[in-house]
Amino acid sequence: MPDKFTSYEERAKRHPNPAAKALLETIVRKKSNLCVSVDVTGKADFLNIIDIVGPYVCLIKTHVDIIEDFDASIIDRLQELSKQHDFLIFEDRKFADIGNTVALQYSSGVHKIASWSHITNAHPVPGPSIITGLSSVGKPLGRGLLLLAEMSTKGSLATGSYTEEAVKMARAHRDFVIGFIAQRSMNGVGKDTADTTDDDFLVLTPGVGLDSKGDAMGQQYRTPEEVLRDGCDVIIVGRGIYGKGPSVDIQSVREQAERYRSAGWSAYEKLL
Ligand code: BMP
C-alpha cells in the first residue's frame, strides 16, 4: 500500500492506462470527483440531466439498457455532451459471463458499449477469463475496466476472501483493470508480502448521499466525507441529485450537482 496519500495530479502523471489517466486529469481540471449516475428511463430526461450536471462532473455513469426509447442518436448526443462539458463515460454494465460471451456483449448488440464507454465494469465471479474476454475488445480501444470488489447493498456477498481474490485478479491485469467499485481503498488488499510493487487502483464508490441513509430496497448511503476518508476516489451519486422523479426539476438538479461536487472536493482537500 502506498505509504502516503497521493494527489490526483501525481497519480494522473504516472498512470499507464489511458482511461484512468484521462479520468484523473479530468478530476484535476474540473476540481470534481463527482460521478453522476443517470438512472432514468426516458431519452429526453436522460440527456437533459446530463446536460445540466455535465459542468460539475468528471464522469457520467449510465445504465443504457433501462432507456425505453433507446436509439443510436442517444449515444451521438452523449458523446457530444462529453466533449462539450469535459467528462468521461462509464456504462455500469456489470458483465458476469464467460469470456467469449462478455466480449460479444461488450462489442456488439444494440448498445455497442465498447465503442463509446471509456470505462465499464464486471463482476469477478467467473474468474480471470472475464478480464481476458473484455480486454480483447476494450484494451485496443484504450478502455479501462473496474471490478466489483464490494457492493453498497445490505447483505452483500462481496466481502472477505471474495474481495481479496478480486483484487488479486486486478493486480494480475493492471494494464486493463484500473480499479474497483468498492467502499474503501483496495491498495494492498490480499497482497503477497514478497510483492513490493505499489498498487494504484482507482476506487469508485456508489451508495453516497447527503440527506438519506438508504432506500427501501437495500441501498445504503454514506457521505462524501466518510467515503473519501476510507480511501475512495470518485463518489457516485444518483437519486441524491435528481430525486425519485417523475419529473426533473432543472434548478434543483443543478444545485444538488454543485452541492455534491463541492462536498466531494472539500473532503479530498482535507486529506491533502
Ligand atoms: P443511487 O445513488 O440513486 O442509489 O444510485 C446508485 C447507482 O450506483 C445505481 O446506478 C446502482 O446501479 C449503482 N451501484 C450501487 O448503488 N451499488 C453498488 O454496489 C454498485 C453499483 O453499481
Side-chain angles (χ1 to χ4, degrees), residues 37 39 61 63 90 92 94 121 148 150-153 181 183 206-208 215 219 221 236-240 242:
S37 175
D39 301 341
K61 183 172 90 58
H63 281 297
F90 163 25
D92 185 3
K94 297 189 178 71
N121 58 357
L148 284 114
E150 294 179 326
M151 291 197 73
S152 61
T153 38
I181 296 296
Q183 296 292 316
V208 174
D215 68 10
Q219 177 65 297
Y221 294 120
I236 300 177
V237 185
R239 289 163 290 176
Y242 51 78

Side-chain angles (χ1 to χ4, degrees), residues 56-264:
Y56 307 98
V57 302
C58 57
L59 186 68
I60 286 288
K61 183 172 90 58
T62 58
H63 281 297
V64 281
D65 58 350
I66 67 176
I67 301 176
E68 305 249 20
D69 45 352
F70 181 88
D71 62 54
S73 74
I74 297 186
I75 298 304
D76 295 340
R77 181 68 185 138
L78 175 61
Q79 288 182 305
E80 269 174 33
L81 290 168
S82 146
K83 291 202 181 76
Q84 182 187 332
H85 295 303
D86 187 20
F87 59 75
L88 270 71
I89 306 167
F90 163 25
E91 164 58 23
D92 185 3
R93 174 61 179 75
K94 297 189 178 71
F95 293 101
D97 213 319
I98 64 165
N100 184 60
T101 301
V102 295
L104 294 170
Q105 290 171 322
Y106 189 25
S107 62
S108 310
V110 177
H111 298 123
K112 305 186 190 347
I113 295 165
S115 71
W116 50 269
S117 185
H118 304 97
I119 294 170
T120 191
N121 58 357
H123 284 293
V125 70
S129 55
I130 193 165
I131 303 177
T132 316
L134 292 169
S135 164
S136 72
V137 175
K139 207 178 139 199
L141 298 171
R143 305 307 190 202
L145 180 70
L146 302 166
L147 293 179
L148 284 114
E150 294 179 326
M151 291 197 73
S152 61
T153 38
K154 251 177 234 159
S156 163
L157 303 181
T159 60
S161 58
Y162 181 91
T163 302
E164 274 186 25
E165 291 305 318
V167 183
K168 287 182 192 164
M169 268 168 61
R171 218 169 261 133
H173 298 88
R174 289 177 203 263
D175 50 346
F176 186 54
V177 182
I178 61 174
F180 303 95
I181 296 296
Q183 296 292 316
R184 60 192 162 103
S185 171
M186 288 290 129
N187 292 339
V189 169
K191 197 170 195 174
D192 202 315
T193 44
D195 183 351
T196 54
T197 51
D198 259 356
D199 287 337
D200 186 12
F201 293 122
L202 283 163
V203 174
L204 279 64
T205 304
V208 174
L210 285 164
D211 304 315
S212 158
K213 289 276 156 224
D215 68 10
M217 296 189 194
Q219 177 65 297
Q220 306 178 107
Y221 294 120
R222 292 186 299 151
T223 64
E225 191 157 350
E226 285 170 319
V227 304
L228 264 283
R229 215 189 292 133
D230 283 347
C232 304
D233 298 308
V234 172
I235 56 170
I236 300 177
V237 185
R239 289 163 290 176
I241 286 180
Y242 51 78
K244 296 181 185 75
S247 62
V248 177
D249 173 349
I250 293 182
Q251 188 52 29
S252 157
V253 171
R254 188 175 287 116
E255 281 165 19
Q256 291 302 323
E258 171 50 18
R259 179 177 174 228
Y260 276 93
R261 186 209 63 79
S262 154

